[in-house]
Amino acid sequence: MKNILVIHGPNLNLLGMREPEIYGRLTLDDINRNLSQKAENMGVSITFFQHNAESALVDRIQLTMTDGADFIIINPAAFTHTSVAMRDALAAVNVPFIEVHLSNIFSRETFRHHSYFSDLAVGVISGLGAKGYELALEYALTKR
């Protein structure tokens, strides 16, 4: 059985309310529920973690060194463009990951075009809304 960890960064707890024209109308609970159903159907263990604090996200990433996580799906949100600490944690744990963004970060403000994670990621999915999480999960199941 694969163990997948889904990490949601800052402000994603506001999905469905915050700028729905950019991020969509689904809530974070909707996204997690959908992924849980897909994971259950595939016989996969899936865990979710959302936090607005960088230190809590770093701590959770580091926990993958001992919790049996086989793959990470991460939406670093605003920390995509600022967090060397999260990048260093992902490099240290050596767990493969896909970086997911609900919006197309390359069609937005210039400061959003740079990611501290993309060069370490197995792949990046940007601009496909909640479907990006589903595609990342499907890929994670094929990764050996």
Side-chain angles (χ1 to χ4, degrees):
M1 175 182 278
K2 284 225 174 200
N3 295 306
I4 309 293
L5 171 63
V6 181
I7 298 176
H8 305 287
N11 297 312
L12 292 174
N13 57 305
L14 299 177
L15 287 177
M17 299 177 290
R18 176 184 174 227
E19 300 175 281
E21 67 281 359
I22 295 174
Y23 300 110
R25 300 214 178 271
L26 292 178
T27 66
L28 190 59
D29 286 341
D30 294 334
I31 291 170
N32 289 346
R33 188 172 26 261
N34 185 36
L35 290 174
S36 288
Q37 290 171 351
K38 289 187 179 305
E40 184 178 329
N41 292 341
M42 299 172 177
V44 174
S45 172
I46 193 163
T47 305
F48 302 96
F49 184 79
Q50 188 281 325
H51 213 284
N52 294 320
E54 183 179 34
S55 62
L57 293 163
V58 168
D59 288 344
R60 184 60 189 96
I61 292 166
Q62 289 179 1
L63 186 59
T64 64
M65 294 175 76
T66 59
D67 74 356
D70 297 308
F71 203 93
I72 300 169
I73 298 169
I74 185 169
N75 183 341
F79 289 136
T80 302
H81 324 292
T82 64
S83 184
V84 174
M86 286 176 60
R87 175 198 169 80
D88 287 351
L90 285 164
V93 301
N94 201 30
V95 175
F97 71 94
I98 291 180
E99 178 183 345
V100 174
H101 299 284
L102 295 164
S103 68
N104 180 353
I105 62 175
F106 301 103
S107 69
R108 299 187 60 200
E109 304 92 342
T110 304
F111 72 87
R112 295 185 194 276
H113 297 183
H114 179 263
S115 167
Y116 279 97
F117 306 93
S118 296
D119 65 315
L120 297 177
V122 171
V124 178
I125 301 172
S126 179
L128 301 181
K131 183 69 174 176
Y133 285 101
E134 295 174 32
L135 295 170
L137 177 61
E138 289 173 22
Y139 180 82
L141 297 179
T142 67
K143 182 78 173 154
R144 299 281 172 208

